[in-house]
Amino acid sequence: MIQKYVFGDPIRTEAVVSRIGEGDSLRYFAVEETEDGRLIFSRALSDHDVLYGLGETVRGINKRGWIYVSDCTDETSHTEEKRSLYGAHNFLIVDGADRFGVFVDAAQKVTFDCGYTDPGRLTVTVEEGGCVLYLIENSGLREIVREFRAAIGRSYIPPKWGFGYGQSRWGYVKEEDIREVVRRHRDRGVGLDSVYLDIDYMERFKDFTVDGDRFPDFADFVREMKEEHIHLVPIIDAGVKIEKGYPVYEEGVENGYFCKNEDGTDYVAGVWPGRVHFPDVLNPPARKWFGRWYRVLLEQGIEGFWNDMNEPAMFYSGKHLREAEEELRGLNLDDMDVWGFFHLKDIVMGIANRPEDYASFYHRIDGRMVRHDRVHNIYGTGMTRAAAEAFEELSPDRRILLFSRASSVGMHRYGGVWMGDNQSWWSHILLNLQMLPALNMCGFLYTGADLGGFGSNATEDLLLRWLELGIFTPLMRNHAALGTRRQEFFQFGREEDFRSMIGLRYALLPYLYSEFMKAALTNDMMFLPLSFVYPEDPFAPKVEDQLMVGESMMIAPIYRQNASGRYVYLPERMKMYRLRSRDSMDEEVLEAGHHYVDAALNEVLIFIRPDHIVPMAAEGGVFAEQVDSENLRLLHFAEKRAVYDLYDDDGVSRDVTLEGHLRRIVVER
Ligand code: MIG
C-alpha cells in the first residue's frame, strides 16, 4: 500500500505519475515544522534496522551511519566524507521491526541524517517550501520497491547497442583520434559499439555545433562509423554560450527561454564555453525549444547523447566574479599573514558552485517566478526530459541512447545516469557496485560508472578488475579525464585478457538484456542486495560487496589490488563458474556458507542459483547487433528442472511488452 501526505504547498516535481490516495495521519515519523519553514521528520532506529536506497551516494548498501544531502552537485572527488553527489534520489527503505519505504518528493534540498548525529535516529530535513511524503508498505523489500516504481513510472529503455562496450576519453578531439580507437578494437577483434565525443567536438563548446576543422563533414563521418557498426555519442552541456549570431543563444534571448535574474535580465554564469545562460528547462515552452535543438545532431545521424554539467555546474557566476575580484583587491598582498592567505584561498576556492549563486536566479514555472534553489534538484531532470520528449517526436520509431549526470527521481523515465567523475581507485570499484542496487531502487536501471576511473591514473590490473564488474552493468563505458594516463585496453599488455573479458560481455548479452528488459517492464530491480532475494537469511543484510544480477546469478567481484581471490558468502548452494572467456571456464558446486575462492586477474566469478540458467551466446560478436541470441550455450545449475524465460526484441522499437518476446528455455536432469 502506498499513501501520500502533503506538507505545505510544494512545487510539483512530476516524479510520481500514478494517482495515490492521501493517508490520514502520518505513521512511522514524528513531524515538526521549524520557524523558518523547514520540515523535520524523525524516528528512532533500533540496532537491527537496516536502511536501503538513496541512489547515487557514497558509502555502502546499508546507508546507516552517515548523513546524505540531496543537493545535486558537480563533485569531482567521491570520497567517503562527501554528502552530495550529482543525484537527488530521495527514496529510502527502513527494514527492521517496521518495514516501509519513504519517498520525499521535493525539488529543493533534503537531508537524510541516517544515524550520523545520533546513531539511534533517522532524521529527514526538508528545506523551506513543503513536500509530499509517500509511505509504502508491502510484504517484502523487493515488493516495496516494485510498488514505489509502479508509482513513478516505467524506467527508460535504451537501444540494444547501448549495452555494447563504449570507449570514451576527454581528449579525443578529431576524426582521426576516433578512427584510431575504432581500428585498434576492430583489428584485435575486441568488442565495441560506441565511441563518445566529449566537449572538444564542439565549436568553442557551443551546444549543437560541430567544429568544422576537426570534423570537416560530420554527417559523413557518422556514416563511416556506422559502417563499422560504431555509434558516436556526443556530449551536451547545460550552459548555452553567450555569443552574438549563435542561433541557440539568439533564440533563447529573444523568447525569454533562459533563467533570469531578479530584475528580469538573463542570468550569467561561467562554464566551459565561457559566459553562458542556462536554458529554463523547467518552463515547458523553453524545455520544448531546447529539446528540439538536439535535432541538429540527429539529422547528422547521431542516435545517442550524454547530458553533462546539468546540476547545473557553475565555475563562477557573473555577479560573484566581480565581488570576488573586489575582495581580492582588498587583501594586503605586500604583507600577507597566514590568515590572510587562508582568506585568499577561501575567496578563490569559493567561486565555483556557490549556494548563494543558486539562490539568485529564477525559473518561470506555471506563470510564477521560482527561485532556483527551490527547484535545484530537478534541473538536470528538466534538461534530460527536454531531450527525451523531443526524441519521441523526432524519432518516434527508434529508441535514442540518453543518459545524464544530474538527476532526480522522475528522470529515470527519460534517461539513464552515469556515476560521474570517479577516480582510478580500487575503492571506487566497490563504490560502483554499491551504487547499483540503490540506483535500481530509485528507477535508474540504465547506469554504469566510468570503467577504469575518470580522474587519476589507471593501471592494467585496475582496468581488468573493473571490467570484471563492468561486464554486468547496462552502461559499460571506459572513460577518463583529460591529462590522465591513457586507459584504452590497447595501452596495456594483456591484450588477450581484455579481448576475452569484453568478449564475455557480448556472450552474456542475451541474459543481461533479458534481465534489464524484464526489470524495466515489471518495475523490478536488476541488481539486488542479497537480502532482497534471501529475506530470511540473517547474514544476507551484512553482505556489502556481492550482488544478485537478475534472477539466476550472483556476482562477487574482486576490488583489491594484488588479490587473487576473495571471501564469498553463499546464501544457498550454488554453482560457481570461473570464467576466463566464452570458451574457457571451470565450474564447481559450492555449499551454502562462507568460502574463500581463487580468481586470477583474468578470471571472473559468477554463481548460479539452483535450478537456474544463464543463457550465453555461443558464438562471437564484436558489436551488439552481431550477437546471436538464437544459438545459445547454457550455463546452468539444474538439480531437477531449470527454466528461464529469455526476453529478446529488435533492440530499437519503442513499443515493447513482455508478451510476444519471451522464449522458454528448459534444462531437465
Ligand atoms: O568539468 O566534458 O563528468 O565525464 O569528461 C568537467 C568534460 C566536465 C565532466 C564530466 C566528464 C567529462 C568532463 N565534464
Side-chain angles (χ1 to χ4, degrees):
M1 188 178 61
I2 175 163
Q3 288 190 308
K4 73 173 179 191
Y5 304 85
V6 182
F7 296 88
D9 182 19
I11 300 274
R12 280 190 312 128
T13 65
E14 297 176 71
V16 171
V17 291
S18 57
R19 286 179 75 101
I20 309 290
E22 281 199 45
D24 335 314
S25 63
L26 184 67
R27 300 211 283 147
Y28 303 125
F29 289 99
V31 203
E32 182 195 325
E33 193 177 337
T34 64
E35 267 173 31
D36 54 0
R38 291 180 306 156
L39 291 159
I40 300 176
F41 302 92
S42 78
R43 64 175 272 118
L45 291 174
S46 83
D47 287 352
H48 302 291
D49 286 348
V50 177
L51 302 178
Y52 296 102
L54 298 183
E56 187 188 59
T57 43
V58 298
R59 301 201 176 211
I61 293 173
N62 182 351
K63 304 316 291 185
R64 268 193 87 155
W66 191 239
I67 180 166
Y68 301 92
V69 181
S70 289
D71 182 23
C72 298
T73 305
D74 175 11
E75 176 54 69
T76 52
S77 184
H78 306 177
T79 47
E80 64 185 68
E81 85 276 15
K82 297 297 156 57
R83 298 180 178 188
S84 308
L85 297 177
Y86 318 88
H89 303 149
N90 303 342
F91 174 66
L92 192 66
I93 297 177
V94 178
D95 183 27
D98 290 327
R99 180 192 289 143
F100 61 92
V102 55
F103 173 51
V104 183
D105 190 6
Q108 73 276 34
K109 185 155 102 181
V110 180
T111 301
F112 294 86
D113 185 335
C114 301
Y116 166 78
T117 305
D118 171 352
R121 269 204 108 63
L122 167 65
T123 305
V124 181
T125 306
V126 182
E127 296 304 308
E128 190 191 344
C131 72
V132 185
L133 203 76
Y134 292 85
L135 285 184
I136 303 121
E137 296 168 282
N138 208 313
S139 52
L141 296 167
R142 197 167 178 175
E143 289 71 24
I144 288 171
V145 169
R146 283 203 201 112
E147 189 163 0
F148 171 57
R149 295 267 305 283
I152 59 175
R154 193 181 91 183
S155 297
Y156 164 74
I157 294 174
K160 201 193 252 182
W161 63 262
F163 291 81
Y165 184 50
Q167 180 59 53
S168 183
R169 179 175 179 85
W170 177 8
Y172 300 154
V173 299
K174 53 186 191 303
E175 284 184 353
E176 201 39 43
D177 300 340
I178 293 152
R179 275 197 197 101
E180 149 137 22
V181 168
V182 172
R183 202 179 305 129
R184 296 277 208 136
H185 285 78
R186 289 288 182 251
D187 284 356
R188 302 295 179 175
V190 175
L192 189 69
D193 270 88
S194 51
V195 179
Y196 288 75
L197 301 180
D198 208 320
I199 43 178
D200 304 293
Y201 80 89
M202 293 183 240
E203 192 188 294
R204 295 192 298 286
F205 306 123
K206 276 148 57 186
D207 281 340
F208 313 114
T209 68
V210 176
D211 186 301
D213 292 331
R214 293 167 171 181
F215 298 91
D217 186 342
F218 190 60
D220 195 55
F221 184 58
V222 174
R223 211 171 306 122
E224 174 191 325
M225 288 294 115
K226 264 196 204 156
E227 274 159 26
E228 304 260 15
H229 306 277
I230 298 295
H231 299 264
L232 296 179
V233 184
I235 197 169
I236 303 291
D237 277 11
V240 170
K241 184 173 178 63
I242 297 175
E243 186 182 279
K244 277 255 156 321
Y246 168 42
V248 187
Y249 162 76
E250 297 283 0
E251 284 181 24
V253 169
E254 212 167 285
N255 296 289
Y257 287 158
F258 292 126
C259 292
K260 304 282 182 201
N261 291 305
E262 203 171 356
D263 65 7
T265 55
D266 291 327
Y267 182 75
V268 177
V271 211
W272 286 104
R275 287 157 51 86
V276 302
H277 292 318
F278 290 128
D280 186 1
V281 288
L282 301 180
N283 175 22
R287 179 163 66 228
K288 193 160 191 176
W289 161 77
F290 189 75
R292 288 219 173 120
W293 269 102
Y294 285 78
R295 182 195 65 237
V296 171
L297 291 158
L298 290 176
E299 280 170 352
Q300 298 180 74
I302 293 297
E303 294 176 301
F305 299 88
W306 47 313
N307 282 346
D308 191 21
M309 307 298 275
N310 51 358
E311 293 71 25
M314 266 192 255
F315 295 165
Y316 62 81
S317 78
K319 236 183 275 165
H320 182 65
L321 201 57
R322 283 257 170 268
E323 293 162 9
E325 185 194 1
E326 287 302 307
E327 281 182 58
L328 288 171
R329 282 185 201 287
L331 295 177
N332 182 357
L333 298 182
D334 297 321
D335 183 20
M336 177 157 284
D337 63 9
V338 69
W339 309 113
F341 172 70
F342 288 152
H343 185 48
L344 179 146
K345 226 174 129 186
D346 285 346
I347 294 170
V348 176
M349 300 300 282
I351 291 176
N353 306 321
R354 233 171 119 248
E356 295 85 344
D357 288 330
Y358 289 116
S360 75
F361 65 93
Y362 293 80
H363 299 267
R364 174 169 292 280
I365 300 174
D366 298 333
R368 282 192 298 158
M369 295 309 275
V370 178
R371 209 171 73 191
H372 177 79
D373 57 335
R374 301 285 172 84
V375 289
H376 176 71
N377 286 340
I378 59 173
Y379 185 81
T381 294
M383 179 186 179
T384 298
R385 181 176 174 182
E389 287 177 344
F391 299 159
E392 279 171 32
E393 271 179 41
L394 301 166
S395 175
D397 303 322
R398 291 172 74 81
R399 303 175 206 163
I400 300 291
L401 182 70
L402 179 61
F403 56 90
S404 171
R405 195 171 70 176
S407 65
S408 60
V409 171
M411 203 206 82
H412 70 286
R413 299 194 298 273
Y414 304 109
V417 289
W418 92 98
M419 295 167 181
D421 298 350
N422 60 9
Q423 306 271 339
S424 299
W425 296 341
W426 290 85
S427 61
H428 278 183
I429 302 180
L430 179 60
L431 182 60
N432 180 173
L433 178 144
Q434 289 167 325
M435 280 184 188
L436 286 164
L439 279 162
N440 280 196
M441 289 174 211
C442 299
F444 295 93
L445 295 179
Y446 189 74
T447 184
D450 289 352
L451 302 174
F454 176 74
S456 308
N457 295 322
T459 54
E460 177 178 66
D461 54 345
L462 176 98
L463 178 63
L464 197 48
R465 284 300 193 200
W466 210 324
L467 286 170
E468 291 168 16
L469 169 61
I471 60 170
F472 300 103
T473 62
L475 169 62
M476 182 193 180
R477 181 179 77 144
N478 177 337
H479 179 51
L482 187 69
T484 59
R485 182 185 190 184
R486 293 202 52 167
Q487 63 186 43
E488 298 86 359
F489 87 88
F490 51 81
Q491 307 294 343
F492 302 112
R494 302 178 79 110
E495 185 183 304
E496 186 59 43
D497 292 334
F498 284 109
R499 176 171 37 244
S500 299
M501 199 49 64
I502 294 165
L504 269 172
R505 161 55 162 234
Y506 285 88
L508 288 165
L509 202 65
Y511 176 75
L512 296 171
Y513 186 67
S514 170
E515 286 303 316
F516 178 94
M517 292 303 291
K518 287 192 213 171
L521 296 172
T522 63
N523 300 315
D524 207 343
M525 297 162 69
M526 180 175 171
F527 295 93
L528 302 105
L530 271 50
S531 53
F532 279 53
V533 177
Y534 303 96
E536 306 301 327
D537 185 324
F539 195 77
K542 305 185 202 306
V543 179
E544 285 276 348
D545 60 357
Q546 303 172 204
L547 293 176
M548 306 305 296
V549 182
E551 69 173 60
S552 302
M553 72 176 178
M554 181 176 84
I555 58 169
I558 288 176
Y559 52 89
R560 297 213 192 279
Q561 190 160 30
N562 301 318
S564 54
R566 57 163 287 169
Y567 288 95
V568 178
Y569 176 67
L570 271 62
E572 62 181 329
R573 202 170 125 84
M574 289 177 169
K575 189 197 272 183
M576 178 179 82
Y577 280 91
R578 191 180 278 114
L579 305 171
R580 283 173 293 274
S581 73
R582 159 194 334 249
D583 304 304
S584 167
M585 61 188 78
D586 45 66
E587 51 179 86
E588 186 183 339
V589 174
L590 298 177
E591 297 304 321
H594 298 272
H595 298 267
Y596 184 88
V597 290
D598 294 314
L601 189 50
N602 61 343
E603 293 175 329
V604 57
L605 303 169
I606 66 171
F607 300 81
I608 301 190
R609 304 179 64 192
D611 287 334
H612 280 76
I613 303 172
V614 174
M616 238 173 57
E619 304 289 333
V622 290
F623 53 93
E625 219 182 301
Q626 205 182 43
V627 172
D628 179 1
S629 46
E630 298 294 317
N631 182 12
L632 299 173
R633 175 182 315 157
L634 305 179
L635 306 187
H636 67 84
F637 183 21
E639 296 218 283
K640 292 190 214 83
R641 182 170 190 265
V643 179
Y644 184 75
D645 289 321
L646 181 70
Y647 176 97
D648 197 20
D649 62 21
D650 64 10
V652 292
S653 299
R654 285 173 174 275
D655 261 339
V656 281
T657 50
L658 286 180
E659 292 87 70
H661 291 293
L662 293 173
R663 179 154 51 102
R664 177 149 292 196
I665 299 167
V666 181
V667 180
E668 310 233 31
R669 260 221 109 92

